Amino acid sequence: MCKTTANMYRLGWDERNGGNISYLLDEKEVAEYLNLSNVIRTIPLMGVNAADFDATPLQGKIFIVTGTGKYFKNVEGDPETNLGVIRIPKYKKGVELLWGFTDGGRPTSELPSHLMCHMARLKADPDNRVVMHSHPTHTLAMNYVHELNEKKFTHTLWEMCTECIAVFPDGIGILPWMLCGTNEIGKATAKKMEEFRLVVWAMHGIYGAGKSMDETFGLIETVEKAAQIYMLTAHLPRINTIKDEEMQQLAELFKVNYRKDFLNL
């Protein structure tokens, strides 16, 4: 968590207190370090109508999460203030703090969106562990100059780097601009995550999900590299490109389950 947040800040993806990460932990591993019966305090979920949000499938699950208003650049130097280990309790609203947020802080305001996404991804892949939100510069810039159509947006990125169709063969989901920190955007993102591991929030940033911190970071990193190449070349006449038949050959070579409907074959 410390290394990832430091890298994301260094790359310019998470300015100020932008961005957030949640990581589903193994209870047995956590128990080696923390007394799981010692709840420091219970923290209400920000911006959530309790009647509309049901985290029952995650009851008893433990996460390490970034804090609201916290700067990624400060996590490595003071993790106990900027991070928290939380548990989703039974029969209670909010979350139980087991470690961290020593200055009285609380989890990211996007935690409901994260939890909804975890529930969606765990249904699709029981090994999913990480949900990551950031504001990668070129991906965000691309939102303003490229049609926000999932097939077209994904196809353009697949054309930018040979590895893209192998790294995110399931493509990229896209949401229109929505008010952040609400149940509505959380539900919409979770719905997209039933079929995508990557979801763009238009004119805001991107959500990624994966089995590990490296996998999730790598997904966003690859999208951002492709978006950068697009932004460097979009205003120039294109002489060469990766053809759809070639992308198909790549996907089949790497034996990935790619979105065939996102290619023009």
Side-chain angles (χ1 to χ4, degrees):
M1 182 71 90
C2 288
K3 289 180 179 178
T4 302
T5 50
N7 272 330
M8 293 169 77
Y9 185 83
R10 177 181 56 81
L11 289 166
W13 297 359
D14 296 279
E15 70 293 334
R16 199 172 180 270
N17 62 317
N20 28 78
I21 304 175
S22 59
Y23 181 14
L24 176 58
L25 302 175
D26 181 272
E27 183 176 343
K28 291 181 180 178
E29 290 184 359
V30 177
E32 295 179 14
Y33 300 93
L34 299 178
N35 177 359
L36 299 185
S37 63
N38 180 32
V39 176
I40 299 171
R41 53 192 164 96
T42 299
I43 306 173
L45 292 174
M46 295 173 64
V48 172
N49 181 343
D52 292 338
F53 181 59
D54 180 13
T56 302
L58 297 176
Q59 283 182 351
K61 300 290 187 185
I62 298 173
F63 297 84
I64 185 167
V65 299
T66 52
T68 187
K70 304 301 184 186
Y71 291 31
F72 274 19
K73 70 183 179 72
N74 295 331
V75 172
E76 201 164 30
D78 187 4
E80 199 169 3
T81 297
N82 295 284
L83 302 175
V85 174
I86 62 168
R87 180 170 56 202
I88 311 303
K90 295 181 180 179
Y91 317 119
K92 293 180 183 177
K93 301 301 180 184
V95 297
E96 296 174 337
L97 180 65
L98 303 177
W99 174 91
F101 300 141
T102 53
D103 63 348
R106 54 196 299 163
T108 168
S109 60
E110 300 292 354
L111 184 61
S113 293
H114 279 248
L115 296 179
M116 292 178 198
C117 289
H118 277 287
M119 288 188 282
R121 287 310 306 165
L122 285 167
K123 286 182 181 177
D125 180 359
D127 292 327
N128 189 84
R129 290 293 177 271
V130 178
V131 171
M132 185 179 293
H133 171 55
S134 65
H135 310 150
T137 307
H138 298 92
T139 305
L140 186 54
M142 190 173 166
N143 285 197
Y144 291 90
V145 297
H146 192 287
E147 187 175 348
L148 293 176
N149 170 285
E150 290 172 347
K151 175 180 177 177
K152 293 178 180 179
F153 199 88
T154 297
H155 190 276
T156 293
L157 292 173
W158 280 352
E159 289 179 312
M160 295 300 107
C161 302
T162 295
E163 66 174 356
C164 283
I165 195 169
V167 174
F168 52 98
D170 40 345
I172 297 175
I174 299 176
L175 291 177
W177 187 93
M178 298 177 69
L179 186 63
C180 56
T182 64
N183 275 17
E184 287 69 28
I185 197 168
K187 290 177 180 177
T189 308
K191 183 65 178 175
K192 291 289 184 184
M193 285 223 166
E194 292 176 2
E195 58 178 315
F196 300 106
R197 292 173 297 158
L198 292 157
V199 179
V200 164
W201 283 7
M203 282 69 76
H204 183 144
I206 192 168
Y207 260 70
K211 299 175 184 177
S212 68
M213 202 72 77
D214 273 353
E215 180 187 51
T216 314
F217 180 89
L219 283 170
I220 296 174
E221 184 178 34
T222 306
V223 169
E224 173 64 0
K225 178 64 172 286
Q228 181 179 14
I229 294 170
Y230 174 78
M231 294 304 297
L232 287 169
T233 59
H235 62 292
L236 301 169
R238 189 181 298 187
I239 299 171
N240 304 300
T241 196
I242 304 172
K243 300 180 180 67
D244 284 53
E245 294 81 4
E246 294 166 337
M247 287 189 273
Q248 182 183 38
Q249 290 172 19
L250 280 163
E252 292 177 356
L253 174 65
F254 286 98
K255 296 180 173 59
V256 293
N257 185 20
Y258 65 102
R259 289 289 300 257
K260 296 177 178 64
D261 57 323
F262 280 13
L263 292 179
N264 301 310
L265 295 170

